[in-house]
Amino acid sequence: MNIMSDFSIGKILQLFQKASEQGIAIAFAEGELSVNFQKGRQIDKAFLEELRQNKPHLIHYFQKFAVDKTGIDEQVIHAIDRNSQTPIPISFCQERLWFIHQLQGSEQYHLPTVLRLKGEVNTAVLQNALQGVINRHEVLRTVITEKDGKGYQVIKEKDNWRLQVVTTNDYPANDEGLQLLINGFINRPFDLERDDMLRAALIDVAPNKYLLLVVMHHIASDAWSEAILVKEVIELYSAGVEGRAADLPVLPIQYADYAVWQRENLQGNSLNNKLDYWQTKLAEVSPLQMPTDFTRPVVLSRRGDKISFSIDKTLAAEINGLCQKQGTTLFMLLLSIFKVLLYRYSGQSDITVGTSIASRQQKDLEGLIGFFVNTLA
């Protein structure tokens, strides 16, 4: 008999929610269920009895849905045979973006980085530094081809990339001309079947003043990757100028290895369990009915805006103090405030917000440029 037949997953999740509200943490390790209490909280004996009665259901839930230290997220990713004739698949993240690119283009998924450089710049060394990063990270010289309606990775050879050098003779020497040049460089579409996924230009703006403009396509990169790029370019350039070997860690795997691992592991029962979890978790979620001053367009556009603001040091210190007092992170506090705001405008209390996660569970992924970030509810 299926132990879950008379007890829905939804009710199990309600138990977890109730436990959280009462300062109770329920954990499962090495086949044993444990219940831990927050210090100073009053114990609800009736709820403890409810947990005891439903212990078999809770254990079954953990066994079916939870990922432990032997689960998919902790498996070692091995390097694939680069001489194999088997096509290399794209990752699930890449597949989503590849579909969008084919449907409507993907200029909104360009990731630009602009660095101001002062002093004398050795163009040849900078070229070699950027080429070194592209040589190290295969995904930056990987194109995507289509076969039978599916996308596959094709890794290009090393040392075939060039830095674009722009002098003051190549554009109108004023702010407007410079901005037009930068915008054109950032927004120029990538050909995902032919182009390297990184392009860069060194722009001469004044004597001993330059802009280094680097654009990566999101299908091969994310915000975490941008930090890796800047760090490695600085180290490779410094090493080139100083005539020494660059101090960079060996990369045991590449993004292609991750994509193959992901495809092999996220299927069958593993995939079905994750789908069951989220379908149950989000079954009752409905869109917020927000009052707006315009009618939602029939066709989705790319028009949007980003508004920035600052808070003073006193308020920032008070907010951080509240986080410490409540034992929570700044992110969770701000997310709670945001949800209160949404509740005020919508009157709805079951609010789901999507937020990005790094998705780099394995140590070998931390220093790798690639598209790993995911958005979860």
Side-chain angles (χ1 to χ4, degrees), residues 107-131:
E107 289 84 356
Q108 67 272 34
Y109 291 100
H110 294 184
L111 303 178
T113 300
V114 181
L115 301 176
R116 294 183 180 274
L117 308 180
K118 293 182 179 181
E120 187 176 339
V121 175
N122 189 318
T123 305
V125 175
L126 182 59
Q127 156 75 33
N128 291 338
L130 286 160
Q131 179 69 79

Short mmCIF file of all heavy atoms in Angstrom, two decimals, residues 107-131:
data_model
loop_
_atom_site.label_atom_id
_atom_site.label_comp_id
_atom_site.label_asym_id
_atom_site.label_seq_id
_atom_site.Cartn_x
_atom_site.Cartn_y
_atom_site.Cartn_z
N GLU A 107 18.91 40.24 -27.91
CA GLU A 107 19.76 41.38 -27.54
C GLU A 107 19.60 41.78 -26.08
O GLU A 107 20.53 42.30 -25.46
CB GLU A 107 19.43 42.60 -28.43
CG GLU A 107 19.87 42.47 -29.87
CD GLU A 107 18.86 41.71 -30.73
OE1 GLU A 107 17.85 41.23 -30.16
OE2 GLU A 107 19.07 41.60 -31.94
N GLN A 108 18.42 41.51 -25.51
CA GLN A 108 18.21 41.85 -24.10
C GLN A 108 19.00 40.93 -23.17
O GLN A 108 19.05 41.17 -21.96
CB GLN A 108 16.71 41.78 -23.75
CG GLN A 108 16.09 40.41 -23.78
CD GLN A 108 15.56 40.02 -25.15
OE1 GLN A 108 16.12 40.39 -26.17
NE2 GLN A 108 14.46 39.29 -25.18
N TYR A 109 19.61 39.89 -23.72
CA TYR A 109 20.40 38.97 -22.91
C TYR A 109 21.90 39.17 -23.13
O TYR A 109 22.69 38.26 -22.90
CB TYR A 109 20.00 37.52 -23.22
CG TYR A 109 18.62 37.18 -22.72
CD1 TYR A 109 17.52 37.16 -23.57
CD2 TYR A 109 18.41 36.90 -21.37
CE1 TYR A 109 16.25 36.87 -23.10
CE2 TYR A 109 17.15 36.60 -20.89
CZ TYR A 109 16.07 36.58 -21.76
OH TYR A 109 14.81 36.30 -21.28
N HIS A 110 22.29 40.35 -23.59
CA HIS A 110 23.70 40.68 -23.67
C HIS A 110 24.16 41.19 -22.30
O HIS A 110 23.47 41.98 -21.67
CB HIS A 110 23.95 41.76 -24.73
CG HIS A 110 23.66 41.30 -26.13
ND1 HIS A 110 23.89 42.09 -27.23
CD2 HIS A 110 23.16 40.14 -26.62
CE1 HIS A 110 23.55 41.43 -28.33
NE2 HIS A 110 23.10 40.25 -27.98
N LEU A 111 25.33 40.74 -21.86
CA LEU A 111 25.86 41.12 -20.55
C LEU A 111 27.11 41.99 -20.75
O LEU A 111 28.20 41.46 -20.97
CB LEU A 111 26.19 39.88 -19.72
CG LEU A 111 25.06 38.88 -19.48
CD1 LEU A 111 25.57 37.68 -18.68
CD2 LEU A 111 23.90 39.55 -18.75
N PRO A 112 26.96 43.31 -20.66
CA PRO A 112 28.12 44.18 -20.88
C PRO A 112 28.88 44.48 -19.59
O PRO A 112 28.30 44.59 -18.52
CB PRO A 112 27.48 45.45 -21.45
CG PRO A 112 26.12 45.50 -20.80
CD PRO A 112 25.69 44.07 -20.58
N THR A 113 30.17 44.61 -19.72
CA THR A 113 31.03 45.08 -18.63
C THR A 113 31.92 46.18 -19.19
O THR A 113 32.56 46.01 -20.23
CB THR A 113 31.91 43.93 -18.09
OG1 THR A 113 31.09 42.89 -17.58
CG2 THR A 113 32.83 44.43 -16.98
N VAL A 114 31.94 47.34 -18.52
CA VAL A 114 32.74 48.47 -18.97
C VAL A 114 33.77 48.80 -17.89
O VAL A 114 33.42 49.05 -16.74
CB VAL A 114 31.87 49.71 -19.26
CG1 VAL A 114 32.74 50.86 -19.76
CG2 VAL A 114 30.79 49.38 -20.28
N LEU A 115 35.04 48.80 -18.25
CA LEU A 115 36.12 49.10 -17.32
C LEU A 115 36.86 50.35 -17.80
O LEU A 115 37.22 50.46 -18.98
CB LEU A 115 37.11 47.93 -17.24
CG LEU A 115 36.54 46.57 -16.78
CD1 LEU A 115 37.62 45.50 -16.84
CD2 LEU A 115 35.97 46.67 -15.38
N ARG A 116 37.07 51.30 -16.88
CA ARG A 116 37.86 52.50 -17.20
C ARG A 116 39.33 52.21 -16.92
O ARG A 116 39.69 51.79 -15.82
CB ARG A 116 37.38 53.68 -16.37
CG ARG A 116 35.95 54.13 -16.70
CD ARG A 116 35.57 55.36 -15.89
NE ARG A 116 34.22 55.79 -16.19
CZ ARG A 116 33.88 56.59 -17.20
NH1 ARG A 116 34.84 57.08 -17.99
NH2 ARG A 116 32.63 56.94 -17.41
N LEU A 117 40.17 52.45 -17.90
CA LEU A 117 41.60 52.21 -17.77
C LEU A 117 42.35 53.53 -17.88
O LEU A 117 42.08 54.33 -18.78
CB LEU A 117 42.09 51.24 -18.85
CG LEU A 117 41.31 49.91 -19.00
CD1 LEU A 117 41.91 49.07 -20.10
CD2 LEU A 117 41.32 49.13 -17.68
N LYS A 118 43.28 53.75 -16.98
CA LYS A 118 44.09 54.96 -16.99
C LYS A 118 45.56 54.58 -17.13
O LYS A 118 46.02 53.59 -16.56
CB LYS A 118 43.88 55.78 -15.71
CG LYS A 118 42.48 56.37 -15.58
CD LYS A 118 42.37 57.21 -14.30
CE LYS A 118 40.99 57.82 -14.16
NZ LYS A 118 40.87 58.67 -12.94
N GLY A 119 46.30 55.39 -17.86
CA GLY A 119 47.71 55.11 -18.05
C GLY A 119 47.97 54.41 -19.37
O GLY A 119 47.08 54.29 -20.23
N GLU A 120 49.19 53.95 -19.54
CA GLU A 120 49.57 53.28 -20.79
C GLU A 120 49.03 51.86 -20.81
O GLU A 120 49.19 51.10 -19.84
CB GLU A 120 51.10 53.27 -20.91
CG GLU A 120 51.59 52.75 -22.25
CD GLU A 120 53.11 52.84 -22.38
OE1 GLU A 120 53.70 53.66 -21.63
OE2 GLU A 120 53.68 52.10 -23.19
N VAL A 121 48.39 51.47 -21.90
CA VAL A 121 47.82 50.13 -22.05
C VAL A 121 48.57 49.39 -23.15
O VAL A 121 48.70 49.88 -24.28
CB VAL A 121 46.31 50.19 -22.39
CG1 VAL A 121 45.78 48.78 -22.67
CG2 VAL A 121 45.53 50.83 -21.25
N ASN A 122 49.07 48.24 -22.82
CA ASN A 122 49.75 47.38 -23.79
C ASN A 122 48.69 46.56 -24.51
O ASN A 122 48.16 45.58 -23.97
CB ASN A 122 50.75 46.48 -23.08
CG ASN A 122 51.63 45.73 -24.07
OD1 ASN A 122 51.16 45.23 -25.09
ND2 ASN A 122 52.92 45.64 -23.75
N THR A 123 48.36 46.97 -25.72
CA THR A 123 47.25 46.34 -26.46
C THR A 123 47.52 44.87 -26.72
O THR A 123 46.60 44.03 -26.62
CB THR A 123 47.02 47.07 -27.79
OG1 THR A 123 46.82 48.46 -27.54
CG2 THR A 123 45.81 46.52 -28.51
N ALA A 124 48.75 44.52 -27.06
CA ALA A 124 49.08 43.13 -27.36
C ALA A 124 48.90 42.25 -26.12
O ALA A 124 48.36 41.13 -26.20
CB ALA A 124 50.51 43.02 -27.88
N VAL A 125 49.32 42.74 -24.96
CA VAL A 125 49.17 41.98 -23.72
C VAL A 125 47.69 41.84 -23.35
O VAL A 125 47.24 40.79 -22.90
CB VAL A 125 49.96 42.64 -22.58
CG1 VAL A 125 49.70 41.91 -21.26
CG2 VAL A 125 51.46 42.62 -22.89
N LEU A 126 46.93 42.91 -23.58
CA LEU A 126 45.50 42.85 -23.29
C LEU A 126 44.81 41.85 -24.21
O LEU A 126 43.94 41.08 -23.77
CB LEU A 126 44.88 44.24 -23.46
CG LEU A 126 43.38 44.34 -23.15
CD1 LEU A 126 43.09 43.92 -21.71
CD2 LEU A 126 42.89 45.76 -23.41
N GLN A 127 45.19 41.85 -25.48
CA GLN A 127 44.66 40.85 -26.42
C GLN A 127 44.94 39.44 -25.91
O GLN A 127 44.05 38.59 -25.88
CB GLN A 127 45.29 41.06 -27.80
CG GLN A 127 45.32 39.84 -28.72
CD GLN A 127 43.99 39.49 -29.33
OE1 GLN A 127 43.18 40.36 -29.61
NE2 GLN A 127 43.75 38.19 -29.53
N ASN A 128 46.18 39.21 -25.49
CA ASN A 128 46.55 37.88 -25.00
C ASN A 128 45.81 37.51 -23.71
O ASN A 128 45.47 36.35 -23.49
CB ASN A 128 48.06 37.81 -24.77
CG ASN A 128 48.86 37.86 -26.07
OD1 ASN A 128 48.33 37.53 -27.13
ND2 ASN A 128 50.11 38.29 -25.98
N ALA A 129 45.57 38.51 -22.85
CA ALA A 129 44.87 38.25 -21.60
C ALA A 129 43.44 37.80 -21.86
O ALA A 129 42.96 36.81 -21.29
CB ALA A 129 44.89 39.48 -20.71
N LEU A 130 42.75 38.53 -22.73
CA LEU A 130 41.37 38.16 -23.07
C LEU A 130 41.34 36.83 -23.82
O LEU A 130 40.46 35.99 -23.58
CB LEU A 130 40.73 39.27 -23.90
CG LEU A 130 40.36 40.53 -23.11
CD1 LEU A 130 40.20 41.72 -24.03
CD2 LEU A 130 39.08 40.29 -22.31
N GLN A 131 42.29 36.63 -24.71
CA GLN A 131 42.36 35.35 -25.42
C GLN A 131 42.61 34.21 -24.44
O GLN A 131 42.06 33.11 -24.58
CB GLN A 131 43.48 35.39 -26.47
CG GLN A 131 43.66 34.09 -27.25
CD GLN A 131 42.50 33.81 -28.19
OE1 GLN A 131 42.42 34.38 -29.27
NE2 GLN A 131 41.61 32.92 -27.78
#
